[in-house]
Amino acid sequence: MMDGPILDAKLNQHFAGRVVRKDLTNMIKQGANVPTYVLEYLLGMYCATDDDEAIHEGVERVKKILADNFVRPDEAEKVKSHIKELGQYTVIDKLTVKLNEKRDLYEAEFSNLGLKGVAVHSDYVKRFDKLLAGGIWVILKMEYFYDEENRHNNPFRIESLKPIQMPNMDLNEIMEGRKNFTKDEWMDVLIRSTGLEPTQFEPEAKWHILLRLVPLVENNYNLCELGPRGTGKSHVYKEISPNSILVSGGQTTVANLFYNMASRSIGLVGLWDCVAFDEVAGIKFKDKDGIQIMKDYMASGSFARGKEEKNANASMVFVGNINESLDFLLKTSHLFAPFPEEMANDSAFFDRMHYYLPGWEIPKMRPELITNNYGFIVDYLAEYLREMRKHNFADVIDLHFKLGNNLNQRDVIAVRKTVSGLMKLLYPHGEFTRDDVAEILQYALIGRRRVKEQLKKIGGMEFYDVHFSYIDRESLQEEFVSVPEQGGGKLIPEGLGKPGHVYVVGKGDSGMIGVFKLENQAVSGTGKFERTGLGSRKEVKEAIDTAYRYFTANCKSVSAGISTKTKDYLMHASDLQGIGMSSELALAEFIGLCSSALERPVQESLVILGNITVSGTIEKISDFAHVLQVCVDAGAKRVLIPAVSVADLQTVPPELLIKVQPIFYSDPIDAVFKALGAV
């Protein structure tokens, strides 16, 4: 990590006039409500130096220019009067130009001044073609001349015009300049350009801040960032780039977002590089087919409206707040839960997300996190990002690595897009090493795996392939990536447990499939049965009582040495994932009681599946493949399965089946013997 002043000097040396001290932006912006890119352009002109006196003079000059020339909408008439009375006047405004075919001339429209139909010389249009594509901010010298003979002519004229936004972009300048910085220096430069101080962030958080820029540099990139409030999630899309739009409040229409059939005009996705939705919980379409069209667009970059199909390049960003703690969400629901109800359980919608950025790993914004050092003028940065959208770095993976077998086509596309975006940001000059690619590839895989882990919770077996990896083409070594919040610790520990301790997988109170632990202990007594941890559900208590009644009636069939008269049995149930206690506990509890009575533990890493009725009838397991997936994820090595479910084995993917040893039982007594390893 480089010291601030040294990096500042390097920036001023290699990007003279393209950088600005970010504390000046903050200082002036508080007193003048002007777009950041207008402000920083002026600061870049007059304050791109490290001489304090020159900076002071420059700031005063910028303030005077803004006070005298920036057109406020409420003062438009006053400025028009100045132009008329003085004959000439300089203004700062946003200009949009259209060709008027009937009059064979270009006409400008002023955003704040409110003028329309002002003639523009074709030379300006040729030089600054962005005037025709959404408009740019300019400094212009205006004249007023009223011609009695040609009254239909607009009396306002443009004498000279100079763009404030970058009129064009020289990528070679960036490429050449980048060669003078290391990877870490360049990363710090980019983060400082967004207004943040990189030295105050952990390495992981720096990567996350960088990833926020990927939707601006990569076409059709779908990003989701959920996390606590105040971490600056929407700042990039609102302030940093004039090419992105933030849809606040969430409510929108298909016409506004995609295509208006009435006016035959394309919506936001065709006009902007990036469309960001603030507060995802409030996303609401007035049209019923809104979410379906959005899914179509997120998958293919196109959508059908009326009789034709339209293409667009805009990236989609979804930012929102997580209200519960991370642990609570992981145990009881999934990380996409903050989305509105019609999306929250739609696995097809979330499968189109290329990356899930963990907002909880970025600290909340504090004054010390805002930089006072130099960074690129935001408009220069925005144009660099925009220009890089034309390039593609997705194939850099193939130079050194191959993606693992568990990635399907959507996973591959997602990982390639993330890698491409980060490569464009960090290595636009195309000079990088194998390790550089591996670092970015690993980061890309984690974000996509985070999406898949949640999909597995929502959609079950369809998304069981979550073990993402990449293979080194030279050494053929396979590297697997894990998601930090999933944790390395398994719910079911390795090695033999205590007698009476058993694990069971079943459907919890919430409808989700989870892991439960039953702890049984046999102590001297008079045949009492005490149970704790069951909660208030009647069905759960009945299941445990069924198990004890079956135990008292059939224990002699297991062993003559088991006594129900001279022993008390204590039992405690734990809901290991917080999804609500299951009522599918009777068989597991029967085995647990036998295990504690015989003082013999069940086989190591064993999960018991199946349930029994009062008469001892074995119930078939519903959603078998999904249940088995939960067993594997929990760390099970052996699974006790009722014989009635053998036919369901064909629903289980072979890759999953080889990870556990299935043990089949025909009746409850057989289940006890096999659980204890007696047969």
Side-chain angles (χ1 to χ4, degrees):
M1 191 174 292
M2 183 170 267
D3 189 38
I6 301 173
L7 191 55
D8 289 350
K10 274 184 93 168
L11 269 175
N12 274 304
Q13 183 188 342
H14 299 291
F15 292 99
R18 305 295 195 194
V19 291
V20 66
R21 231 175 69 195
K22 294 292 174 174
D23 59 330
L24 303 178
T25 307
N26 297 328
M27 186 173 72
I28 301 178
K29 191 148 173 67
Q30 285 163 7
N33 191 17
V34 298
T36 308
Y37 30 94
V38 172
L39 186 53
E40 290 202 351
Y41 178 85
L42 294 170
L43 287 169
M45 276 176 70
Y46 300 111
C47 307
T49 172
D50 44 14
D51 181 352
D52 286 346
E53 198 174 317
I55 286 174
H56 180 71
E57 282 177 23
V59 168
E60 293 306 314
R61 195 164 174 189
V62 169
K63 283 181 179 174
K64 190 169 180 347
I65 290 170
L66 288 172
D68 294 347
N69 306 117
F70 182 76
V71 180
R72 286 172 40 184
D74 59 337
E75 293 183 349
E77 292 305 317
K78 192 170 131 185
V79 174
K80 284 182 199 173
S81 168
H82 280 325
I83 301 169
K84 180 182 181 315
E85 299 306 327
L86 299 171
Q88 210 177 53
Y89 195 72
T90 302
V91 297
I92 296 175
D93 203 349
K94 187 177 182 181
L95 221 62
T96 311
V97 174
K98 287 180 181 174
L99 174 65
N100 185 333
E101 301 95 337
K102 291 175 182 173
R103 296 182 64 197
D104 189 33
L105 56 85
Y106 292 102
E107 291 180 344
E109 184 178 334
F110 291 70
S111 178
N112 288 354
L113 199 54
L115 289 174
K116 287 185 179 179
V118 180
V120 180
H121 201 281
S122 58
D123 280 355
Y124 291 126
V125 178
K126 286 172 191 168
R127 280 164 61 198
F128 316 125
D129 54 2
K130 278 186 75 178
L131 285 164
L132 298 163
I136 56 174
W137 283 86
V138 293
I139 298 180
L140 29 69
K141 203 173 275 183
M142 296 290 295
E143 287 183 333
Y144 187 90
F145 177 74
Y146 186 76
D147 191 348
E148 282 281 352
E149 291 179 14
N150 294 314
R151 293 185 181 185
H152 65 276
N153 280 0
N154 197 317
F156 290 96
R157 293 183 180 177
I158 297 170
E159 192 204 325
S160 66
L161 179 155
K162 188 181 178 189
I164 284 180
Q165 276 179 260
M166 296 288 304
N168 42 40
M169 178 73 196
D170 180 10
L171 259 184
N172 283 333
E173 186 178 73
I174 286 270
M175 308 280 191
E176 288 304 311
R178 166 66 181 90
K179 291 175 182 175
N180 300 291
F181 297 81
T182 64
K183 183 226 54 182
D184 289 331
E185 288 172 4
W186 191 251
M187 191 184 254
D188 287 0
V189 168
L190 291 174
I191 293 172
R192 277 190 183 137
S193 302
T194 68
L196 300 174
E197 180 48 53
T199 55
Q200 299 292 318
F201 291 93
E202 295 292 321
E204 203 59 37
K206 285 168 69 169
W207 279 101
H208 298 333
I209 293 164
L210 208 60
L211 190 83
R212 286 173 174 171
L213 298 174
V214 170
L216 298 168
V217 82
E218 191 68 27
N219 291 324
N220 302 105
Y221 189 78
N222 308 320
L223 173 68
C224 172
E225 180 180 355
L226 302 179
R229 288 167 175 78
T231 56
K233 292 189 284 290
S234 54
H235 169 74
V236 164
Y237 313 109
K238 196 173 172 71
E239 290 289 335
I240 299 304
S241 174
N243 307 318
S244 69
I245 187 167
L246 189 70
V247 180
S248 300
Q251 185 140 332
T252 186
T253 61
V254 170
N256 177 44
L257 196 57
F258 296 104
Y259 190 75
N260 190 322
M261 301 280 283
S263 66
R264 302 185 72 80
S265 59
I266 196 148
L268 298 177
V269 294
L271 300 172
W272 300 87
D273 289 350
C274 173
V275 179
F277 291 89
D278 201 6
E279 302 299 334
V280 292
I283 295 178
K284 211 180 278 166
F285 276 98
K286 289 181 180 173
D287 326 66
K288 286 182 181 170
D289 58 346
I291 289 172
Q292 202 51 49
I293 293 173
M294 188 184 263
K295 283 196 305 200
D296 184 20
Y297 175 74
M298 285 166 73
S300 61
S302 62
F303 53 92
R305 291 293 281 157
K307 291 179 181 175
E308 53 187 325
E309 193 166 302
K310 301 279 178 191
N311 292 304
N313 293 324
S315 297
M316 293 281 210
V317 176
F318 301 87
V319 297
N321 300 319
I322 288 179
N323 298 316
E324 293 89 4
S325 75
L326 183 66
D327 286 345
F328 181 79
L329 264 187
L330 285 168
K331 282 181 177 175
T332 59
S333 178
H334 51 81
L335 294 177
F336 287 121
F339 276 79
E341 204 175 323
E342 55 268 33
M343 294 178 180
N345 289 305
D346 187 343
S347 56
F349 175 76
F350 295 125
D351 197 18
R352 287 155 168 78
M353 292 290 178
H354 296 135
Y355 203 98
Y356 188 125
L357 202 160
W360 53 89
E361 291 183 7
I362 298 174
K364 292 195 174 197
M365 289 299 132
R366 306 184 303 275
E368 62 265 31
L369 300 183
I370 309 300
T371 189
N372 293 328
N373 294 97
Y374 282 82
F376 287 131
I377 299 164
V378 287
D379 197 48
Y380 186 69
L381 175 71
E383 285 308 302
Y384 153 50
L385 299 179
R386 185 170 217 184
E387 203 60 31
M388 287 306 292
R389 290 174 83 90
K390 297 172 186 172
H391 299 259
N392 188 6
F393 280 57
D395 56 349
V396 298
I397 298 172
D398 304 326
L399 296 171
H400 306 292
F401 305 102
K402 193 165 93 149
L403 294 170
N405 296 331
N406 274 10
L407 280 83
N408 63 28
Q409 187 57 23
R410 275 205 178 132
D411 302 327
V412 171
I413 291 169
V415 170
R416 284 188 182 278
K417 275 185 172 287
T418 306
V419 169
S420 175
L422 288 169
M423 292 296 292
K424 288 179 199 180
L425 288 168
L426 288 172
Y427 309 102
H429 56 321
E431 294 174 15
F432 46 84
T433 64
R434 170 192 295 271
D435 291 346
D436 294 334
V437 179
E439 186 178 29
I440 289 176
L441 177 57
Q442 207 158 10
Y443 181 75
L445 283 163
I446 291 171
R448 177 60 187 174
R449 180 168 174 181
R450 189 174 285 112
V451 172
K452 285 297 280 275
E453 289 283 359
Q454 309 321 308
L455 286 173
K456 195 169 75 175
K457 289 186 173 183
I458 301 168
M461 278 319 296
E462 190 187 344
F463 303 102
Y464 75 94
D465 284 330
V466 293
H467 298 290
F468 285 7
S469 62
Y470 61 95
I471 300 158
D472 190 310
R473 286 187 180 273
E474 271 185 25
S475 65
L476 297 179
Q477 191 177 336
E478 190 167 12
E479 291 283 340
F480 286 86
V481 299
S482 58
V483 182
E485 63 272 8
Q486 295 304 123
K490 300 286 187 186
L491 290 171
I492 301 167
E494 290 185 10
L496 281 174
K498 292 180 181 175
H501 288 205
V502 293
Y503 292 91
V504 56
V505 167
K507 192 168 281 184
D509 192 18
S510 62
M512 291 174 69
I513 295 167
V515 185
F516 307 90
K517 186 180 183 185
L518 305 178
E519 297 174 32
N520 290 277
Q521 195 179 359
V523 295
S524 297
T526 56
K528 288 182 193 156
F529 180 49
E530 289 181 22
R531 50 200 183 12
T532 56
L534 297 176
S536 55
R537 268 181 75 210
K538 187 176 144 197
E539 297 92 329
V540 178
K541 290 175 179 172
E542 282 176 357
I544 297 297
D545 288 342
T546 297
Y548 188 68
R549 282 199 297 275
Y550 193 84
F551 172 68
T552 52
N554 296 279
C555 60
K556 297 297 180 192
S557 303
V558 175
S559 169
I562 296 177
S563 169
T564 53
K565 299 279 192 292
T566 60
K567 293 274 179 80
D568 284 350
Y569 291 90
L570 315 175
M571 176 269 184
H572 179 75
S574 305
D575 174 4
L576 296 183
Q577 291 171 301
I579 62 168
M581 192 51 73
S582 174
S583 58
E584 300 171 4
L585 304 175
L587 179 74
E589 176 54 13
F590 172 56
I591 293 171
L593 286 164
C594 294
S595 168
S596 65
L598 294 167
E599 293 187 0
R600 183 167 175 173
V602 299
Q603 294 194 57
E604 65 176 287
S605 307
L606 175 78
V607 167
I608 296 159
L609 301 183
N611 202 15
I612 52 170
T613 61
V614 180
S615 61
T617 306
I618 306 283
E619 294 179 355
K620 195 178 178 191
I621 301 164
S622 58
D623 203 1
F624 183 60
H626 192 182
V627 168
L628 210 57
Q629 175 68 60
V630 173
C631 294
V632 171
D633 290 345
K637 295 210 172 60
R638 297 175 177 84
V639 183
L640 203 60
I641 303 167
V644 290
S645 295
V646 168
D648 293 336
L649 280 175
Q650 60 193 19
T651 65
V652 181
E655 295 92 336
L656 188 62
L657 211 51
I658 59 172
K659 291 175 182 172
V660 289
Q661 179 190 337
I663 305 168
F664 298 102
Y665 63 90
S666 51
D667 58 59
I669 307 297
D670 185 34
V672 172
F673 288 137
K674 284 176 174 168
L676 298 175
V679 267

